[in-house]
Amino acid sequence: MKIADSQRLRFEMITEQDAQLLYDLNLDPEVMRYINGGKPSTMAEIEDYFIPRIQGFSNSDTGWGLWKVTTLASESDLGDTFIGWILVRPMDFYTEEPKHSDLEVGWRFAQVSWGKGYATEAAKAVCNALVKQSSGNGKAITHFSAIADPDNKGSINIMTKLGMEYIKNTSVDTPEGEVEVVLYSMAV
C-alpha cells in the first residue's frame, strides 16, 4: 500500500533501517512523557523490542505498521525532516480476538512539530488512504479508534479533530504493566 503525499507531508512504511530515527525520537523525555513517564529508549530497546514488535503487526498490503512522516521541503519551515510516525494495527491486536475492521491509529511526533497540525494532517491522510484501499479489497474498515493517557490533552485533541468521540476510560497491558487510558473511536 502507498499513501500519497498530503499538503505538507510524505509517508513511507518504517523498517528496521529506521532504527536510528525511532531512537532519536524516543530520546526526548517530553515525547515519552505519556508513554512511559518520560524515560528515553535505549538503542537496544529499539532494536531488540520495538522493531520486532512493529514487524509483528506490519503488513504492507493492508497498510498496518508504522508510517514514517517526513515534511516536504517545499511546504515546511522544517525542510525535508522526519518528524514522527503514525501507527496502524487492528484494535486489540495482542489479544485472542483482534478487531480487523476497527483499526487502532496512534502517533508519536517530535516536539519541533508540535502545535502545527502535522499529526492531525498525517493521521487524516493515513486513515483516508486505508479506507480507500480497504474498499478496493473487500475488507471493509468500520471504525478507527485511538487510546491515550487521560492527561495527554495533545493526543486527545488530535482524536477529536479526526472526528473521534470519547467511548470510555479503560486499561491496557503494556511492557511496563497495566495503564489507564481513554478510548476514542469513530465510524468510517
Side-chain angles (χ1 to χ4, degrees):
M1 180 177 150
K2 301 280 185 208
I3 297 178
D5 293 351
S6 67
Q7 181 180 348
R8 303 177 294 168
L9 305 171
R10 181 177 63 245
F11 307 93
E12 301 170 69
M13 192 68 77
I14 283 183
T15 69
E16 62 273 0
Q17 281 76 40
D18 296 309
Q20 186 67 48
L21 294 175
L22 298 171
Y23 172 74
D24 292 343
L25 181 62
N26 287 7
L27 278 179
D28 185 338
E30 280 303 303
V31 169
M32 300 302 289
R33 179 178 179 190
Y34 297 110
I35 306 301
N36 63 14
K39 179 180 169 269
S41 300
T42 65
M43 184 56 89
E45 289 170 328
I46 296 293
E47 293 175 339
D48 299 338
Y49 176 76
F50 199 66
I51 296 282
R53 188 169 168 96
I54 295 165
Q55 291 170 331
F57 62 81
S58 292
N59 181 322
S60 60
D61 292 335
T62 61
W64 302 349
L66 285 191
W67 287 93
K68 178 171 39 175
V69 180
T70 306
T71 54
L72 297 172
S74 61
E75 300 297 328
S76 167
D77 58 343
L78 299 176
D80 186 24
T81 304
F82 167 75
I83 57 171
W85 49 254
I86 299 290
L87 169 141
V88 177
R89 67 179 172 213
M91 279 301 289
D92 303 330
F93 183 78
Y94 294 105
T95 70
E96 305 243 341
E97 296 181 26
K99 298 174 181 160
H100 293 95
S101 62
D102 182 359
L103 296 184
E104 178 181 0
V105 181
W107 41 83
R108 188 171 303 166
F109 280 76
Q111 270 196 77
V112 68
S113 71
W114 292 0
K116 298 179 181 181
Y118 288 125
T120 302
E121 180 180 331
K124 281 182 180 178
V126 170
C127 289
N128 289 339
L130 288 161
V131 168
K132 183 177 177 184
Q133 187 265 354
S134 74
S135 64
N137 69 13
K139 295 182 179 179
I141 299 167
T142 62
H143 290 82
F144 286 110
S145 298
I147 59 171
D149 182 298
D151 294 327
N152 189 342
K153 303 304 181 209
S155 279
I156 292 169
N157 189 39
I158 293 166
M159 293 174 195
T160 59
K161 285 182 179 181
L162 292 173
M164 294 182 181
E165 296 180 356
Y166 170 81
I167 303 299
K168 65 181 179 179
N169 283 47
T170 188
S171 61
V172 294
D173 288 323
T174 71
E176 288 81 30
E178 196 169 289
V179 296
E180 295 299 313
V181 296
V182 290
L183 170 65
Y184 279 65
S185 188
M186 68 179 180
V188 176

